[in-house]
Amino acid sequence: MIRAQVIVRPRASIFDPQGDAVGRAIQHLGVSKLKQAHVGKFIELELEGDDVEAVRGQLETICKDLLSNPVIEDYVLTINGKEDLTGLAASAAKLAKRSPKAKKEKA
Amino acid sequence: MIRAQVIVRPRASIFDPQGDAVGRAIQHLGVSKLKQAHVGKFIELELEGDDVEAVRGQLETICKDLLSNPVIEDYVLTINGKEDLTGLAASAAKLAKRSPKAKKEKA
Amino acid sequence: MLDPVITPELIAKHGLTTEEFQRIKDILKREPNFTEMGIFSVMWSEHCSYKNSRLELRKFPTTGPRVLVKAGEENAGVIDIGDGWGVAFKMESHNHPSAVEPFQGAATGVGGILRDIFTMGARPVFLMNSLRFGDIRPDKPNAATNRRLLSGVVSGIAHYGNCIGVPTVGGEIYFDASYDGNPLVNVFCLGTLKTNEIQRGAATGVGNPVFYVGARTGRDGLAGAAFASRDLTEDSKADRPAVQVGDPFIEKLLLEACLELFQHPEAIVGVQDMGAAGLTCSTCETASRGNSGIEIDLALVPQREPGMTPYETMLSESQERMLVIVRAGHEATITKIFEKWDLPCALIGRVTDDGFMRVKNHGATVAEIPAKQLADEAPLYKREATRPADLDERQKLDLTSIPEADIHDVLGKLLATPDLASKRWVYRQYDHMVRVGTVTAPGSDAAVVRIPTGENAWKYLAASVDCNAHYVALEPKLGALIAVAECARNLAMTGAEPLALTDNLNFGNPHNPENFYMLQQSVDGLAEGCRAFDIPVTGGNVSLYNQSPAGPIDPTPTVGIVGIIRDVKHITPSHFQNSGDAIILIGDIGEELGASLYLREIHGLKRGRPPELNLDREKKMHDAVRSLIRLGEIRSAHDLAEGGLLVALAECAIGGTKHLGATITLDLSYSRLDAFLFGESQSRATITTRPENASALVALLELRGVPARRLGTVGGNELKVQVSGPTPHEFSWDVSSLHQIWNGALDSYLS
Amino acid sequence: MRWAVLQFPASNCDQDAFHVLKNVLAQDVEYVWHKDSSLSGADAIVVPGGFSYGDYLRCGAIARFSPIMSAVKEAAAAGKTVLGICNGFQILCETGLLPGVLVRNTSLHFRCETIPVRVENPASRFTSDYLTGQVLHLPIAHGEGHYVADEATLDSLFQHKQVLFTYSDAQGRNTPGANPNGSQRHIAGICNRAGNVLGLMPHPERASEKILGSADGLGLFTSILASHGVPQAQAA
Ligand SMILES: Nc1ncnc2c1ncn2[C@@H]1O[C@H](COP(=O)(O)OP(=O)(O)O)[C@@H](O)[C@H]1O
Ligand SMILES: [Mg+2]
């Protein structure tokens, strides 16, 4: 079985009202150190078979066309993250890096 | 700065209309091997300071009380996943393991 | 960060011509800097300045005894509805943003029109919309894209309206290949206010503080007004940073906070929403209206993202923001109210007396422009207009070459077309009942909404939006005239008399003389219609450059009319109400097939001259129906529009909740049965009444110079039509099957 | 009797509930702001519909932490009447005053229309003016009205007659086609075990005047009045 995980996140320059509202709520609950919150989606897919390469292209397309809205969102796809931790690690790093980088681009 | 990532996922035994709809749509797009899809949330938080241990408790509470609803959802919290990959790896493994078990519960 | 050097390329990229740039230099008496050029470019875009259409708009009648705020004066016009109450309403487009990102584009369109209304001091009480897409049927080109656009737009409208709690009570949706790649999203909002509480958008009183309230400013929607003033091209997707994301939650707070603030007239001088061109537009327009100046410091503007440049801050189109001019000494009133609502509220500047819009950043002046010249003295262009070369040819219709289709079959097919099918799939996604005012829900000729004017005191408003763009495409002036007539007719059917009109002019690139001709003729048609019905235009919107690489859209001058129903007893439904009621046809039996739905859908022909319209006859018909309604003798009334007589009868049977059949006998001479049953001749309606009244009503109508005849009787499970004449025909349709076809059609295309 | 209508940021049916109580039923009613901590002695509390806090994250999730909710919990514990309509129902579930949770409609679409709703148990303070099995025509308007709880909770809800309303067809049958949102066991409204806290997705306040198409919802309010000893005549 193949397991794929997709994280969809509002693009860095795009307003994220949901993140804002959640951030305000968290601050209200006493976490005064919170600077920012973003809310995205987490999608898990299970597919039959083992041939990761055979489905990778299809899954990328699905991420682009269905699971995310490229106009306002970015996504990270990880396939078989359990066996292949580097994938998930890379995703995490990518996600983590984006924000400061985005800010740098802007400045 | 502290970065925390929270994955909120519908509990295995709970009917997930969004996951079902996404699953149907994916199959419709020709990915016949898809067995199941689940849709959850991905939340990213940025906090001031560096003292992870000082905020871990607060963040766990936020996850439990605000970000997820235990009736229908589980969550995984990762703090500073970038530096501390084991955390994220563990989360992934946790998430990955749950599904088969869940299926057993359902059957 | 250094501003870019102003080069001819950069000027062109800002949509400014060499002459316009020269004019800027003449106004400033120097070279503009980058920020100033950006400011001019958005204020002088078509979207903000109407530079290509303003001369045309002057043709509209805009005055009348009920007009309290005229078109163009403020963000929306205001009409007196009596007893100290007024209504503010307006229509606005969000076509280009919706083409790029349908959900957010439509949602922010709703947000924008709501702000235009509550800036006037009015509480928004209902929304409507007028939408156009390419065809969504599976066998049509681009169907999948069109379906995605439709679903996205509908959920965007639903999201914003539902969340803020303003009901969406009506609208219209049509489909045509000309909208492939360039859908139209026109949204309408109406609000109510006490006539002595109208707010103005003027900055007066030197030294008065200028406040910024609402959402923080980010980089979203940079230069959206300029984006709306360009053709949509393949590259439009690269314009994605222009996508604005709306937050109806914040808007709801902003709405309530503003209405609370307006209860303190002693503290408020003026208020202006930040819509297109955001801070730029709101500062220079309030200064211009106040014959004053304004000075702000951008460092004081609440910002969402760090490091925004003055250019970005001034041109940002972040949503849910307002500018409020407060009377000096009353600062605490506003800060307290916005604190209560947990909204950002910042003192960003002062009113001055030197006529300048002066923008500072941390004290350093970054822009200094004469406000009046920036806001009101954009160049005006008289564009060339030429009648489209192929129009005469497209109007030709040779009926002898068109075979008569099987009537029984045709009715089912027409009811299943996306244009005619029930729009339930759409409107049940809209909260159309919140605010407990919706008396007539979507699915009737016009929406009827009651508005409170005191304790258990109500006024009843009817409203409709309409435009048959096929008619306009085939004869613009007549088509626009019919749009006004049809909209007024829809109101008359509910028992309402029209009060005023708002319009949204959706056309292609005005630099093309053929497109401009369509605009010019349409404005003539709308103006003539308004004069005929004696209703002023109280505001509207112009959206040009609606074209995709395949060409311009069908010209679509959408109109929205608001009317008032004198007494709750006069509110009349569209659909059959009781078995045994007599059905009366008002108006002539016509046989005009030009530009009809029947020709389009059954024969694939988009041609012919639209039906003729006799304004005098049309008005007489409305007056007659209203007076019969007031007599209490009309049980239901429905106008004849797309699909003609047979479709109207079917709609009376299958619409609403009762689903009653009818037996119709037509002993009339006609030349073609299809033209007779599906022709779209104007000024017609079907009404029902108690059977014993039928002949008296027909006599009354004829007395008023309105042709009328009894057609048959309501009842049974079938729609039965007997046609006598040289070759008698008899048709019957099962009402529940017709209902099924009509009710399920959109679902079947969209699921 | 005294009523309180709560106002959260982006409540939007607060004025509707207020209108019905004040103008249709001539009740003593006041708005209570979410930042307040006192209900100033109200006998009945309406948690109205809307999109509190934008309904971001999950409906009702953020509203639950409003200062006023502690007072609502106390009032509920003291046996006061608490009525949560639509978003109010979601808030009461998130708060734990009612079991279960409301998730996205199965269709994933917001749905607004008047539909048949069957009265399951007329022996409650919210339904005494109705009959068992009576079919009411009530408007719904929600995107997340799909009631979810575990099997044991569902069984217990039925066993203790806490399910007051279900979705049905016009004949009163719980057919799948009559379920507008996929709610488990067709649940449209439930009360707590003590019977003083009700949450329901349909909007009785939108169906309390004939001119709006249905007055079937008025019975819910008159039932509450009766249970508080307010004679019917006074209610008109
Ligand atoms: N087609 C039109 N018919 C009548 N009035 C119009 C039309 N288009 C624009 N107006 C009026 O011009 C004024 C300015 O409109 P606009 O710039 O669109 O305002 P805003 O930016 O606040 O939406 C408004 O009063 C509007 O009603
Ligand atoms: Mg405006």
Side-chain angles (χ1 to χ4, degrees):
Chain A
M1 200 183 53
I2 300 172
R3 297 173 50 79
Q5 300 174 322
V6 186
I7 287 174
V8 179
R9 187 187 178 283
R11 276 170 66 174
S13 58
I14 296 276
F15 178 38
D16 171 20
Q18 172 153 238
D20 268 21
V22 169
R24 279 192 302 271
I26 294 176
Q27 283 170 335
H28 264 285
L29 289 177
V31 187
S32 55
K33 298 207 161 168
L34 187 88
K35 280 178 57 190
Q36 228 179 358
H38 286 290
V39 179
K41 273 181 289 197
F42 173 72
I43 300 131
E44 248 182 325
L45 307 174
E46 283 170 33
L47 296 100
E48 273 163 28
D50 293 307
D51 187 353
V52 171
E53 290 321 307
V55 294
R56 190 182 297 277
Q58 272 190 320
L59 288 180
E60 287 280 358
T61 311
I62 290 207
C63 286
K64 244 186 287 218
D65 291 353
L66 181 74
L67 300 180
S68 75
N69 177 350
V71 181
I72 50 174
E73 293 167 330
D74 289 325
Y75 72 90
V76 180
L77 166 69
T78 321
I79 305 184
N80 280 353
K82 193 173 52 167
E83 283 89 26
D84 164 25
L85 285 176
T86 49
L88 203 55
S91 325
K94 208 161 142 194
L95 278 170
K97 254 193 237 130
R98 203 183 35 221
S99 240
K101 180 176 149 253
K103 248 172 258 148
K104 239 181 270 152
E105 275 175 7
K106 269 180 226 150
Chain B
M1 201 184 52
I2 300 174
R3 297 171 53 79
Q5 300 174 323
V6 186
I7 287 175
V8 177
R9 188 184 178 282
R11 277 169 70 165
S13 58
I14 291 287
F15 177 59
D16 170 18
Q18 238 181 313
D20 277 13
V22 165
R24 276 195 305 275
I26 292 178
Q27 282 169 336
H28 205 77
L29 289 178
V31 186
S32 54
K33 298 206 160 168
L34 187 90
K35 282 179 57 192
Q36 227 176 4
H38 289 292
V39 178
K41 280 183 211 112
F42 173 72
I43 299 138
E44 245 183 325
L45 307 174
E46 280 170 37
L47 296 100
E48 273 164 29
D50 294 304
D51 188 351
V52 172
E53 290 321 308
V55 294
R56 190 182 298 277
Q58 270 191 321
L59 289 181
E60 286 282 357
T61 312
I62 295 283
C63 286
K64 245 192 288 252
D65 290 354
L66 177 72
L67 300 181
S68 73
N69 180 330
V71 178
I72 44 168
E73 293 162 333
D74 291 325
Y75 72 89
V76 180
L77 166 68
T78 321
I79 305 184
N80 280 352
K82 193 173 50 164
E83 284 88 27
D84 165 25
L85 287 176
T86 49
L88 204 54
S91 328
K94 208 161 141 195
L95 278 170
K97 253 192 237 129
R98 204 183 38 217
S99 231
K101 180 180 148 247
K103 241 174 269 142
K104 244 180 263 150
E105 275 175 6
K106 261 189 227 150
Chain C
M1 195 176 102
L2 279 180
D3 283 343
V5 181
I6 296 178
T7 60
E9 292 74 46
L10 195 63
I11 295 169
K13 224 180 133 205
H14 279 73
L16 292 166
T17 63
T18 337
E19 298 75 42
E20 287 169 346
F21 191 72
Q22 183 56 48
R23 184 159 173 164
I24 294 171
K25 289 196 284 190
D26 293 346
I27 290 175
L28 294 178
K29 303 190 183 73
R30 59 177 165 82
E31 296 277 331
N33 62 32
F34 179 56
T35 304
E36 290 167 334
M37 184 183 65
I39 288 173
F40 272 103
S41 82
V42 290
M43 284 310 294
W44 287 8
S45 68
E46 175 63 28
H47 188 83
C48 291
S49 72
Y50 298 96
K51 60 187 169 191
N52 294 303
S53 54
R54 181 122 53 136
L55 294 172
E56 295 302 318
L57 300 181
R58 290 189 182 151
K59 295 176 187 164
F60 287 146
T62 56
T63 52
R66 288 178 181 269
V67 177
L68 298 174
V69 176
K70 279 204 323 188
E73 245 178 79
E74 297 281 345
N75 288 292
V78 179
I79 289 288
D80 194 343
I81 57 166
D83 299 330
W85 285 83
V87 291
F89 64 91
K90 187 177 153 191
M91 193 152 38
E92 180 127 278
S93 64
H94 237 206
N95 303 338
H96 284 189
S98 304
V100 173
E101 184 4 58
F103 182 94
Q104 293 298 344
T108 51
V110 174
I113 193 67
L114 282 160
R115 280 193 302 284
D116 271 336
I117 297 308
F118 71 81
T119 326
M120 298 306 301
R123 174 176 284 281
V125 294
F126 67 83
L127 291 160
M128 301 195 291
N129 55 70
S130 165
L131 312 177
R132 297 289 185 285
F133 300 94
D135 208 315
I136 54 168
R137 283 172 286 190
D139 57 329
K140 302 287 163 139
N142 306 317
T145 306
N146 294 331
R147 284 196 294 267
R148 184 183 62 81
L149 288 170
L150 170 65
S151 316
V153 163
V154 169
S155 9
I157 292 173
H159 169 66
Y160 212 101
N162 297 355
C163 187
I164 200 162
V166 177
T168 301
V169 299
E172 55 155 16
I173 308 182
Y174 288 99
F175 302 86
D176 185 86
S178 79
Y179 306 103
D180 275 345
N182 195 126
L184 300 187
V185 177
N186 294 177
V187 286
F188 169 107
C189 181
L190 178 141
T192 58
L193 73 174
K194 296 222 179 96
T195 50
N196 58 359
E197 292 178 359
I198 297 172
Q199 299 297 326
R200 301 282 176 167
T204 53
V206 178
N208 276 336
V210 174
F211 277 84
Y212 169 115
V213 296
R216 280 169 233 282
T217 297
R219 287 187 173 86
D220 29 8
L222 270 189
F227 174 59
S229 307
R230 275 202 299 273
D231 292 355
L232 278 182
T233 63
E234 285 304 324
D235 298 337
S236 293
K237 283 198 175 151
D239 289 335
R240 273 170 193 171
V243 171
Q244 309 147 11
V245 172
D247 187 351
F249 168 56
I250 294 294
E251 179 119 321
K252 168 72 174 167
L253 304 186
L254 186 61
L255 158 68
E256 297 300 339
C258 284
L259 293 181
E260 195 170 322
L261 181 63
F262 300 158
Q263 295 308 304
H264 299 271
E266 74 288 354
I268 302 271
V269 173
V271 46
Q272 164 89 28
D273 69 304
M274 293 189 220
L279 262 175
T280 292
C281 184
S282 55
T283 47
C284 72
E285 281 192 355
T286 47
S288 171
R289 284 201 199 103
N291 293 312
S292 60
I294 199 163
E295 180 177 306
I296 59 169
D297 194 323
L298 298 178
L300 303 170
V301 168
Q303 296 184 6
R304 212 175 58 224
E305 297 179 64
M308 288 181 65
T309 64
Y311 176 95
E312 290 173 322
T313 314
M314 286 305 286
L315 269 59
S316 159
E317 295 195 354
S318 289
Q319 302 288 299
E320 293 96 22
R321 305 178 298 164
M322 295 278 223
L323 197 73
V324 186
I325 323 294
V326 172
R327 190 156 287 128
H330 292 85
E331 290 82 355
T333 309
I334 180 166
T335 48
K336 241 174 75 191
I337 290 173
F338 280 82
E339 198 173 305
K340 170 184 166 190
W341 290 95
D342 292 319
L343 282 174
C345 168
L347 174 63
I348 60 165
R350 301 260 165 210
V351 178
T352 64
D353 62 356
D354 61 5
F356 277 92
M357 170 219 218
R358 191 172 299 106
V359 182
K360 296 188 167 181
N361 194 25
H362 295 282
T365 301
V366 293
E368 196 170 32
I369 304 173
K372 197 151 233 110
Q373 280 162 299
L374 173 61
D376 297 333
E377 291 172 22
L380 287 188
Y381 299 115
K382 182 136 188 75
R383 293 283 167 213
E384 198 187 323
T386 331
R387 186 170 166 90
D390 63 344
L391 198 51
D392 291 331
E393 162 55 27
R394 284 192 284 126
Q395 287 186 352
K396 284 193 192 124
L397 186 62
D398 175 16
L399 282 180
T400 56
S401 66
I402 299 169
E404 282 198 49
D406 176 77
I407 301 292
H408 191 275
D409 211 39
V410 168
L411 180 59
K413 279 191 185 149
L414 291 185
L415 292 177
T417 60
D419 279 0
L420 269 197
S422 163
K423 302 301 181 299
R424 188 182 72 133
W425 184 89
V426 172
Y427 63 70
R428 78 174 179 177
Q429 295 185 52
Y430 302 147
D431 188 337
H432 49 262
M433 306 190 220
V434 62
R435 299 196 59 76
V436 291
T438 311
V439 177
T440 304
S444 288
D445 286 342
V448 179
V449 177
R450 64 171 186 178
I451 55 163
T453 53
E455 227 170 272
N456 279 324
W458 309 91
K459 285 196 182 286
Y460 300 88
L461 298 179
S464 176
V465 286
D466 289 281
C467 179
N468 186 326
H470 300 293
Y471 294 174
V472 185
L474 287 163
E475 185 53 72
K477 186 171 171 197
L478 175 58
L481 193 59
I482 290 178
V484 178
E486 187 185 338
C487 198
R489 199 187 303 150
N490 279 324
L491 259 52
M493 296 300 126
T494 66
E497 49 196 299
L499 296 173
L501 177 146
T502 177
D503 66 288
N504 205 133
L505 304 172
N506 305 276
F507 291 85
N509 187 326
H511 297 273
N512 174 332
E514 296 195 345
N515 289 345
F516 198 72
Y517 173 87
M518 299 309 249
L519 170 72
Q520 211 172 47
Q521 292 286 306
S522 298
V523 169
D524 287 343
L526 295 187
E528 185 179 335
C530 288
R531 275 190 291 269
F533 290 98
D534 198 16
I535 46 176
V537 175
T538 57
N541 184 249
V542 179
S543 172
L544 305 180
Y545 305 93
N546 288 293
Q547 46 189 82
S548 63
I553 59 161
D554 275 357
T556 314
T558 307
V559 303
I561 305 185
V562 175
I564 192 156
I565 303 177
R566 285 192 206 159
D567 190 305
V568 59
K569 290 199 296 283
H570 301 159
I571 300 171
T572 305
S574 300
H575 316 110
F576 293 152
Q577 296 295 309
N578 299 284
S579 280
D581 281 356
I583 304 168
I584 293 171
L585 173 70
I586 303 186
D588 276 329
I589 290 287
E591 296 187 54
E592 291 159 290
L593 269 187
S596 67
L597 180 75
Y598 169 78
L599 279 192
R600 251 185 353 263
E601 287 293 338
I602 307 298
H603 298 285
L605 293 173
K606 254 181 94 168
R607 62 188 305 130
R609 231 186 110 76
E612 290 310 322
L613 181 76
N614 179 327
L615 276 169
D616 179 53
R617 182 174 285 202
E618 181 83 34
K619 269 176 57 187
K620 271 192 188 147
M621 194 270 269
H622 300 191
D623 289 338
V625 170
R626 268 190 300 265
S627 66
L628 291 181
I629 285 175
R630 286 176 191 149
L631 279 178
E633 298 304 345
I634 293 192
R635 285 241 170 95
S636 73
H638 180 41
D639 71 313
L640 270 58
E642 293 92 20
L645 174 63
L646 196 52
V647 164
L649 288 167
E651 286 171 343
C652 289
I654 61 185
T657 51
K658 302 202 166 160
H659 303 174
L660 295 167
T663 304
I664 307 293
T665 320
L666 299 164
D667 50 355
L668 290 159
S669 56
Y670 56 86
S671 43
R672 280 179 71 122
L673 192 55
D674 56 355
F676 178 47
L677 293 174
F678 299 113
E680 299 179 4
S681 295
Q682 295 296 297
S683 315
R684 299 190 293 164
T686 58
I687 59 170
T688 59
T689 184
R690 282 181 294 159
E692 58 271 31
N693 283 336
S695 47
L697 281 199
V698 169
L700 261 177
L701 284 162
E702 302 223 297
L703 208 68
R704 300 185 67 127
V706 178
R709 53 174 59 81
R710 179 161 178 177
L711 283 186
T713 306
V714 176
N717 309 321
E718 291 187 326
L719 177 61
K720 281 193 213 154
V721 177
Q722 292 158 353
V723 190
S724 54
T727 32
H729 296 275
E730 205 173 315
F731 306 99
S732 78
W733 295 267
D734 179 41
V735 169
S736 66
S737 337
L738 287 182
H739 177 261
Q740 221 166 9
I741 292 172
W742 171 80
N743 197 41
L746 276 198
D747 294 66
S748 74
Y749 305 136
L750 290 162
S751 61
Chain D
M1 75 182 271
R2 299 184 56 194
W3 295 74
V5 174
L6 303 193
Q7 286 184 309
F8 295 98
S11 288
N12 63 34
C13 306
D14 47 336
Q15 296 177 6
D16 301 358
F18 190 94
H19 159 70
V20 170
L21 290 167
K22 177 120 199 279
N23 300 325
V24 182
L25 291 164
Q27 291 300 296
D28 175 5
V29 51
E30 266 178 31
Y31 289 118
V32 175
W33 188 235
H34 65 107
K35 289 180 191 169
D36 288 348
S37 50
S38 154
L39 290 160
S40 46
D43 306 300
I45 298 127
V46 179
V47 192
F51 287 74
S52 56
Y53 296 92
D55 270 358
Y56 290 125
L57 209 57
R58 289 182 319 283
C59 300
I62 302 180
R64 167 193 166 192
F65 294 101
S66 289
I68 195 63
M69 286 315 290
S70 324
V72 173
K73 278 190 222 165
E74 278 167 33
K80 300 277 172 68
T81 298
V82 179
L83 169 61
I85 302 169
C86 195
N87 192 222
F89 184 13
Q90 295 160 342
I91 294 172
L92 294 178
C93 286
E94 283 283 340
T95 314
L97 282 171
L98 292 171
V101 57
L102 294 138
V103 302
R104 280 288 280 279
N105 295 352
T106 311
S107 66
L108 305 186
H109 285 304
F110 188 95
R111 217 158 137 182
C112 174
E113 58 195 333
T114 298
I115 57 164
V117 172
R118 190 175 79 190
V119 178
E120 295 296 322
N121 171 15
S124 84
R125 75 168 75 176
F126 301 99
T127 48
S128 57
D129 281 355
Y130 298 126
L131 306 169
T132 311
Q134 186 178 344
V135 176
L136 312 175
H137 288 274
L138 299 179
I140 53 163
H142 59 249
E144 312 200 2
H146 173 156
Y147 183 77
V148 171
D150 59 42
E151 291 296 313
T153 306
L154 292 170
D155 288 341
S156 152
L157 283 172
F158 276 94
Q159 190 189 334
H160 295 97
K161 296 202 171 290
Q162 286 168 252
V163 177
L164 301 191
F165 302 103
T166 59
Y167 300 111
S168 74
D169 65 11
Q171 284 70 46
R173 294 171 304 210
N174 294 131
T175 55
N179 188 336
N181 50 33
S183 250
Q184 287 184 314
R185 303 201 197 172
H186 291 260
I187 286 175
I190 55 167
C191 66
N192 61 347
R193 186 78 77 83
N196 64 316
V197 179
L198 166 67
L200 79 170
M201 289 315 293
H203 285 273
E205 81 283 14
R206 295 187 187 185
S208 290
E209 290 163 279
K210 260 265 142 59
I211 184 166
L212 301 179
S214 166
D216 287 357
L218 201 58
L220 193 143
F221 296 102
T222 55
S223 298
I224 298 174
L225 290 176
S227 77
H228 284 258
V230 181
Q232 217 45 261
Q234 207 187 309

